[in-house]
Amino acid sequence: MPDTQQHSSPEEASSESEVVSEKHQEKLQFAEEIGRILEDDGQPRIAGRILGWLMVCDPPYQSFDDLVDALDVSKGSISTMTRKMIDSGLVKRVTFPGDRKSYYQVRSEAWVHVLEQRLQLSNRFADVTKAGIKMMEDEPKKQQRRIREMHNFMVFFIKQMEEAIEDYESKFDDVIPETG
C-alpha cells in the first residue's frame, strides 16, 4: 500500500523510515525466536518463523510471496510449512473478493485448538494405559508402578487441560476479531 502521508521534510521522512525499519527488524527477531522455540520442540524452525511473523505482521494476513520476501526463505519451505500449519489448525488460508491471491493468517482460537489436540492424544494415552493396568493386574504392584504412574498423570493432566480450556474460554471470549 503506498505511503500517502505528507512529510514536512526529508529528515522527517528518513526518521520515520528508520523507525519502521527498526520495528521490522524487531518483528523478524520475534519470528526467529518463535522459530527457535518450535525447533526446540522438534518442529522445523521455519514453521515457528512463519507463525511468529503471522502473529506480528501488518496486515495480519500475508500472501505466499509476502512470506517468502519477509522471511527470506525458499518458496518450497513456505509451501510445505503453510500446508502443514493449515492441517494442524494453527494457520488458515483467507481470500478477498477481487483478489486472486490466497493469504495466510493465524487462526482464531489456534492455541485452544492446539491444546484440544494434545487433549485428544492424552485421552488416547489414558485409554491405552487403563487397558495396560488391566493387563498387568496379576503382576506384582512394583511392576505395575510405571504404567499406573503414567495413567494417573494422564487422567490428572486431562482434567487440568479441560478446566484450563473452559476457564480460558470463559475469561477471554472478547479477543479481537480476526480479519478475513
Side-chain angles (χ1 to χ4, degrees), residues 115-130 151 154-155 157-159 161-162:
L115 266 184
E116 287 170 340
Q117 287 179 321
R118 296 283 171 122
L119 185 58
Q120 289 176 354
L121 184 64
S122 298
N123 274 305
R124 288 177 57 201
F125 270 122
D127 291 345
V128 169
T129 54
K130 183 177 181 179
H151 179 74
M154 286 298 145
V155 169
F157 191 61
I158 290 165
K159 184 175 188 284
M161 280 198 297
E162 289 171 341

Side-chain angles (χ1 to χ4, degrees), residues 88-90 106-120 161-173 175:
S88 74
L90 282 176
V106 175
R107 178 181 154 194
S108 179
E109 300 289 322
W111 318 117
V112 171
H113 181 73
V114 167
L115 266 184
E116 287 170 340
Q117 287 179 321
R118 296 283 171 122
L119 185 58
Q120 289 176 354
M161 280 198 297
E162 289 171 341
E163 289 174 4
I165 290 169
E166 285 178 28
D167 192 34
Y168 174 82
E169 288 177 336
S170 71
K171 290 180 180 172
F172 298 102
D173 64 350
V175 175

Side-chain angles (χ1 to χ4, degrees), residues 79-110:
S79 177
T80 300
M81 286 304 112
T82 53
R83 264 194 321 271
K84 286 184 177 192
M85 295 171 81
I86 288 168
D87 291 344
S88 74
L90 282 176
V91 169
K92 72 176 196 168
R93 183 178 290 123
V94 294
T95 58
F96 299 99
D99 189 343
R100 296 174 68 183
K101 289 183 180 180
S102 290
Y103 296 85
Y104 303 93
Q105 106 181 62
V106 175
R107 178 181 154 194
S108 179
E109 300 289 322

